């Protein structure tokens, strides 16, 4: 199995956590999102993933993009720790929270949005920072409210799920952008606990071979 990603990619970070939690061996292949104009735009990679995004998972002759689709594929295809509750309604709640993070918060601060704001719209660094802080804080406020109803040691009771995977990766991104997280104690508690677990430590961006 091969995972094409970038050490600081939030989406690739999610998949790494899942792979380590399920103890699936894989080769990590770096796609540098900045060097050479962005290696995700090179012909070989764009043929593999026409969205010009990371990550991409290759499992034999099968390849797949989109981090949550990859995680669902791993959950369905490989043994190891389950990343979803067994209860149908709890599973749906976990999926909804994961999507709140991956689809509502993350896309507004990823690299290509940042580049468009700066290069096409001539938004300066101060305004870009305000953009990131506004959308992350708004999103995290909604997550914090939900977690006050569902959280135990993790986002949903005491089982690590895909919701924790998405939350940890997004909070790492928030710290990278110097977003004030002091208003979100439940989020901070869960993330701190997750980051004591071996799989989460192994998946940390700074622990990847291409980290710079």
């Amino acid at each position: 199995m091969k995972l094409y990603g970038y050490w600081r990619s939030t989406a690739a970070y999610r998949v790494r956590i899942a792979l380590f939690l399920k103890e699936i061996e894989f080769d990590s292949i770096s796609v540098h999102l900045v060097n050479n104009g962005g290696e995700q735009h090179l012909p070989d990679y764009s043929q593999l993933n026409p969205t010009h995004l990371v990550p991409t998972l290759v499992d034999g002759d099968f390849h797949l993009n989109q981090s949550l689709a990859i995680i669902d594929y791993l959950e369905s295809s490989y043994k190891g720790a389950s990343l979803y509750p067994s209860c149908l309604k709890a599973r749906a709640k976990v999926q909804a929270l994961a999507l709140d993070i991956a689809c509502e918060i993350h896309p507004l601060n990823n690299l290509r949005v940042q580049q468009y704001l700066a290069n096409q719209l001539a938004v300066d660094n101060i305004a870009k920072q305000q953009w990131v802080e506004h959308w992350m804080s708004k999103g995290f406020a909604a997550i914090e409210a939900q977690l006050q109803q569902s959280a135990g040691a993790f986002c949903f009771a005491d089982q690590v799920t895909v919701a924790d995977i998405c939350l940890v990766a997004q909070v790492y991104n928030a710290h990278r952008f110097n977003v004030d997280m002091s208003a979100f104690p439940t989020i901070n508690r869960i993330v701190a606990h997750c980051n004591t677990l071996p799989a989460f430590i192994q998946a940390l961006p700074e622990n990847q071979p291409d980290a710079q």
Side-chain angles (χ1 to χ4, degrees):
M1 184 176 293
K2 298 176 182 178
L3 179 67
Y4 290 80
Y6 178 57
W7 68 283
R8 209 160 61 177
S9 161
T10 305
Y13 187 5
R14 296 177 197 133
V15 176
R16 289 196 305 268
I17 297 171
L19 286 163
F20 286 126
L21 282 170
K22 295 186 78 68
E23 299 182 340
I24 300 170
E25 293 186 6
F26 68 100
D27 293 328
S28 184
I29 300 174
S30 178
V31 180
H32 201 291
L33 300 184
V34 179
N35 286 354
N36 303 314
E39 293 176 357
Q40 70 274 26
H41 304 305
L42 295 176
D44 286 349
Y45 184 75
S46 60
Q47 183 174 5
L48 181 67
N49 185 343
T51 70
H52 296 228
L53 296 170
V54 294
T56 302
L57 184 83
V58 176
D59 188 13
D61 59 359
F62 176 72
H63 63 271
L64 184 66
N65 67 312
Q66 284 296 341
S67 62
L68 293 185
I70 292 170
I71 291 170
D72 281 352
Y73 169 74
L74 296 174
E75 174 74 3
S76 300
S77 303
Y78 290 87
K79 297 179 180 179
S82 178
L83 304 178
Y84 294 90
S86 57
C87 169
L88 179 62
K89 290 181 179 179
R91 181 187 178 99
K93 285 286 191 179
V94 165
Q95 288 178 316
L97 185 60
L99 290 168
D100 279 340
I101 299 167
C103 298
E104 304 297 338
I105 303 176
H106 176 228
L108 290 165
N109 55 77
N110 71 6
L111 178 63
R112 65 179 180 175
V113 169
Q114 291 285 307
Q115 290 174 333
Y116 187 81
L117 289 171
N119 299 332
Q120 274 67 44
L121 301 183
V123 174
D124 64 27
N125 288 335
I126 294 174
K128 280 200 303 176
Q129 181 65 24
Q130 291 172 339
W131 167 280
V132 168
E133 290 177 355
H134 171 79
W135 291 114
M136 281 208 203
S137 296
K138 189 176 181 68
F140 281 132
I143 301 301
E144 179 76 13
Q146 293 180 68
L147 292 179
Q148 290 174 5
Q149 304 299 317
S150 67
F154 302 103
C155 288
F156 284 84
D158 296 322
Q159 179 186 353
V160 177
T161 67
V162 67
D164 300 285
I165 291 172
C166 290
L167 185 65
V168 165
Q170 190 59 46
V171 169
Y172 184 95
N173 203 21
H175 289 311
R176 186 164 69 88
F177 283 103
N178 297 313
V179 175
D180 182 2
M181 296 294 293
S182 61
F184 314 117
T186 310
I187 288 174
N188 292 332
R189 174 181 62 78
I190 292 168
V191 169
H193 180 53
C194 286
N195 282 331
T196 67
L197 304 179
F200 285 85
I201 294 170
Q202 286 177 286
L204 278 167
E206 57 264 33
N207 290 337
Q208 304 318 302
D210 60 336
Q212 297 176 357

